[in-house]
Amino acid sequence: MSEKIYALLLRLYPSHFHDAYGEEALQLFRDRARDEKGFFPTIRLWLDLLADLAISAPREYGYVQTALLGASAQRRLAGVPAFHVLQSESPRPVAMLFGSVLSLVVVGTFWISLGHATSHAGMGFMASGRGGSGFSRHQAPQPAPRDAATALNRADGEILKLDRAERQRVVDGVIANLKNHYVDPDVARETADALLAHEKNGDNNSVTNRAALAGLLTRQIRDASHDMHLDVVYSQSPLPEQPPEPTPESLARYRKAMDQQHCMFEPVQILPHNIGYLKLNSFPDTSVCQTTAAAAMASLNHADAIIFDLRENGGGFSNMVSLISAYLFDHPEYIYDPRESPARQSWTRSPVPGNRLADKPVYVLTSASTVSAAEQFCYNLKMLKRVTLVGETTRGSAHAGVFHRIDTHFGTGITEARAINPYSETDWEGTGVEPDVNVKAGDALETAVKLAASKLRKN
Amino acid sequence: MPKRKLDPLPSAAFQILLSLAGEDLHGYGIMRQVADQTDGRMRLGPGTLYSSIQTLLDEKFIEEVDLREDPKLGHQRRRYYRLTAAGRKLARSEAERLADLLRVARAKKFLRGDYV
């Protein structure tokens, strides 16, 4: 690959040089590339080549130019007026091709950077009022919406105007879903009334794009219901008509994927000081991964302390959260699940026979990517004061609502269960779970090992 | 093609002449020898190297010897270059010029030491 790049760069030399020494120059490149392996030598090689190109190519053209001027001067001496053709041979096809590609790249880059600059400059205007062309002097500037998602999708709203009828359809869709599915009919009715009032008062009139509308409606329903799990979602790609139902085929696919990836459990490691380390990149369904989970926990059984690494955990199933938590207690504990009303499975099946981990110190590593079921694990065990969270505040998505499609691009997440949070009215939705020891995710393991080692020394 | 100027002798050309003092070398051999004799300070890129070689060939300070394989570098046949008598003379006169310069620098206390 790099040889091809250099071969292309060699085309920048005049043809006489290229013809005479092109092959040898390439050979020299190959020799150096073979002898100078590694990151820094490769960088040095390329810096050398580019510096060399910048100096020697213009000099070679200088020689060509002097040659041509010299030739024409000699002819002029003969006293006969004449036209001089500077280059006697027509350009090579390859040179023409290379030239066209280079011009396209340059023009393309210029065009893209121009477009980029315009979209930045235009952003302030785009927010100013419905139907505004962006430059109208008749419209008083309005404050730009502060929502980050709004800013991201602003350009999209300008292309396809969101009209009043579509807005009304979305509001009606949200209201219908609230009334049909929300866990508390009274709150659903109050929230619906609030939504209608906002629409009637013209609070939504300034919204000109769809993502901003979704953000605004989410704030309105959360304010009215005090339920942080409700949301209105805009999806730029079309939403499927029917949510994918779990079929035997999809279940088989899931089972196969989990088998291949060892249920996303990385092998247990025993670190110095007999600290057991388990990296979990998901909380897979216990119906598929119960055995794997039990085996992993069994290999931790003789550790003196445990570190769970959830820094890359993308969530999963609450039943696995409960299953793993069970090993950390000698009596059943209630595990809060924002999606479920309390039931028998809300309590851990502790004590687990043969398990010795119930009284061992436990550290959980978190990052800003730790999300959903992984946050449920962190939240509950933190509230139960069973673990020390080390790392960063987690992402902040409880994913508690059940998703309902309104139309091709809009949907709404509705809480359908009366979950009981014994600790607080809110959970980690929107805020994340704060760590007990706040360090960068990259340093979390080292910090947790130090904490565990010092704790074990004291015991 | 007009003659490329070698007066004053560019440092790359001088280094190439010096590198060929002991033995015939191919392009990559010259590049490595120049890097060695300058403690890695001068790494001739292909453009500068072959441009200088062309100039020195034009002026007959070096000559092409033959195409042969370098046993250390595989089976590719490479063009070797050799210093001519004129090239050796040019290199010597350039070295003397630099030595003169150095003597002046020492006399003016730019450099310590009493001998070049």
Side-chain angles (χ1 to χ4, degrees):
Chain A
M1 177 64 192
S2 48
E3 188 182 323
K4 282 189 183 150
I5 296 175
Y6 188 62
L8 277 176
L9 289 177
L10 275 176
R11 303 250 159 207
L12 293 173
Y13 286 97
S15 58
H16 73 86
F17 180 87
H18 182 259
D19 293 345
Y21 292 107
E23 189 43 48
E24 282 186 65
L26 258 185
Q27 181 63 48
L28 193 143
F29 172 80
R30 278 195 287 270
D31 289 334
R32 277 195 71 176
R34 189 193 52 236
D35 291 349
E36 301 173 26
K37 286 207 174 80
F39 180 72
F40 288 109
T42 307
I43 296 280
R44 191 182 65 180
L45 169 60
W46 276 102
L47 286 178
D48 283 353
L49 291 176
L50 293 176
D52 175 54
L53 181 76
I55 293 167
S56 60
R59 196 166 53 207
E60 282 300 316
Y61 278 102
Y63 292 142
V64 175
Q65 200 63 24
T66 356
L68 293 167
L69 288 174
S72 65
Q74 279 166 10
R75 281 184 205 165
R76 213 172 285 133
L77 284 176
V80 184
F83 292 104
H84 300 296
V85 180
L86 285 177
Q87 187 80 14
S88 56
E89 57 198 70
S90 62
R92 286 165 297 136
V94 181
M96 295 282 280
L97 183 70
F98 185 60
S100 359
V101 170
L102 197 65
S103 342
L104 272 178
V105 168
V106 171
V107 171
T109 314
F110 180 68
W111 181 67
I112 288 169
S113 57
L114 200 68
H116 196 60
T118 323
S119 74
H120 272 297
M123 272 183 119
F125 293 105
M126 283 176 185
S128 61
R130 195 161 169 263
S133 64
F135 297 97
S136 166
R137 275 176 291 160
H138 304 295
Q139 284 180 334
Q142 295 179 6
R146 288 179 192 166
D147 197 50
T150 314
L152 280 175
N153 287 287
R154 201 165 290 159
D156 152 68
E158 283 296 299
I159 296 163
L160 271 169
K161 279 272 180 289
L162 172 72
D163 59 24
R164 199 184 185 89
E166 184 179 358
R167 207 173 67 216
Q168 188 67 50
R169 199 171 67 239
V170 175
V171 172
D172 289 346
V174 175
I175 289 173
N177 278 301
L178 275 170
K179 286 186 172 165
N180 287 338
H181 302 291
Y182 191 64
V183 61
D184 186 328
D186 295 333
V187 174
R189 204 168 37 249
E190 285 164 23
T191 309
D193 291 346
L195 275 181
L196 285 175
H198 281 300
E199 178 65 26
K200 198 177 164 194
N201 296 342
D203 295 344
N204 305 341
N205 287 353
S206 62
V207 179
T208 56
N209 83 65
R210 293 164 180 78
L213 177 67
L216 182 64
L217 294 179
T218 299
R219 283 195 296 279
Q220 290 173 358
I221 54 176
R222 286 184 179 184
D223 284 348
S225 64
H226 306 289
D227 185 342
M228 296 303 283
H229 297 134
L230 286 173
D231 57 5
V232 179
V233 177
Y234 167 71
S235 154
Q236 206 159 11
S237 51
L239 296 164
E241 289 271 353
Q242 293 286 329
E245 288 289 322
T247 58
E249 294 81 39
S250 66
L251 192 67
R253 263 203 308 279
Y254 178 70
R255 194 178 289 275
K256 196 173 164 206
M258 284 298 121
D259 273 351
Q260 279 169 352
Q261 299 176 53
H262 197 249
C263 282
M264 317 279 277
F265 279 55
E266 294 200 0
V268 164
Q269 295 175 37
I270 302 295
L271 306 178
H273 310 285
N274 198 26
I275 300 168
Y277 170 84
L278 174 57
K279 186 159 191 278
L280 285 173
N281 295 333
S282 168
F283 282 93
D285 193 347
T286 51
S287 70
V288 177
C289 293
Q290 182 160 15
T291 325
T292 312
M297 295 312 291
S299 10
L300 287 170
N301 211 16
H302 293 280
D304 291 328
I306 308 171
I307 296 176
F308 289 108
D309 188 344
L310 305 187
R311 286 175 294 180
E312 292 175 40
N313 193 308
F317 290 74
S318 181
N319 54 23
M320 183 58 81
V321 171
S322 201
L323 188 146
I324 293 179
S325 307
Y327 288 83
L328 307 181
F329 300 100
D330 57 9
H331 58 275
E333 278 289 356
Y334 175 73
I335 300 291
Y336 161 67
D337 176 356
R339 261 184 255 187
E340 299 287 343
S341 315
R344 203 161 59 87
Q345 62 269 23
S346 305
W347 275 265
T348 62
R349 292 192 169 190
S350 315
V352 179
N355 171 52
R356 300 162 50 149
L357 301 173
D359 58 350
K360 301 282 162 64
V362 179
Y363 300 83
V364 179
L365 312 185
T366 59
S367 77
S369 312
T370 306
V371 67
S372 196
E375 296 183 275
Q376 187 201 0
F377 186 81
C378 295
Y379 180 82
N380 278 285
L381 297 179
K382 180 187 173 183
M383 290 302 174
L384 290 164
K385 301 195 175 6
R386 178 62 186 89
V387 303
T388 307
L389 298 184
V390 182
E392 296 168 349
T393 301
T394 59
R395 173 100 68 87
S397 282
H399 290 151
V402 177
F403 187 79
H404 295 276
R405 185 179 186 275
I406 295 174
D407 64 13
T408 324
H409 293 284
F410 283 97
T412 174
I414 307 278
T415 328
E416 297 187 0
R418 200 181 292 275
I420 292 180
N421 183 344
Y423 312 109
S424 147
E425 277 188 18
T426 58
D427 48 38
W428 61 91
E429 179 67 47
T431 56
V433 185
E434 277 185 31
D436 300 299
V437 180
N438 202 333
V439 292
K440 278 192 189 139
D443 303 331
L445 178 57
E446 198 184 332
T447 310
V449 168
K450 276 185 199 158
L451 288 171
S454 109
K455 172 133 186 132
L456 290 174
R457 266 198 301 275
K458 281 178 204 160
N459 284 351
Chain B
M1 192 63 50
K3 291 192 173 166
R4 297 155 194 246
K5 287 186 179 165
L6 283 176
D7 185 21
L9 186 66
S11 129
F14 182 46
Q15 293 287 358
I16 292 173
L17 293 176
L18 291 180
S19 74
L20 291 170
E23 56 179 329
D24 301 347
L25 292 170
H26 51 69
Y28 183 49
I30 294 176
M31 185 245 143
R32 297 253 309 247
Q33 178 61 37
V34 169
D36 279 352
Q37 70 202 16
T38 58
D39 287 337
R41 279 194 299 275
M42 184 184 276
R43 293 185 305 276
L44 292 175
T48 310
L49 176 68
Y50 288 109
S51 171
S52 309
I53 285 180
Q54 180 64 54
T55 314
L56 292 167
L57 282 173
D58 288 347
E59 299 285 339
K60 305 210 170 18
F61 290 124
I62 60 173
E63 59 190 0
E64 288 178 19
V65 190
D66 51 4
L67 280 171
R68 61 173 195 260
E69 290 175 10
D70 182 336
K72 283 176 241 159
L73 295 173
H75 298 298
Q76 186 108 21
R77 283 156 66 82
R78 292 156 190 270
R79 211 183 301 178
Y80 277 69
Y81 302 93
R82 174 181 294 168
L83 196 60
T84 61
R88 198 171 291 275
K89 202 174 154 195
L90 175 68
R92 189 179 300 127
S93 70
E94 177 66 7
E96 281 166 358
R97 190 185 68 80
L98 289 174
D100 284 342
L101 208 60
L102 208 52
R103 275 187 208 103
V104 175
R106 290 206 199 288
K108 306 251 179 194
K109 311 275 187 214
F110 279 101
L111 274 177
R112 286 198 197 151
D114 51 10
Y115 186 70
V116 174

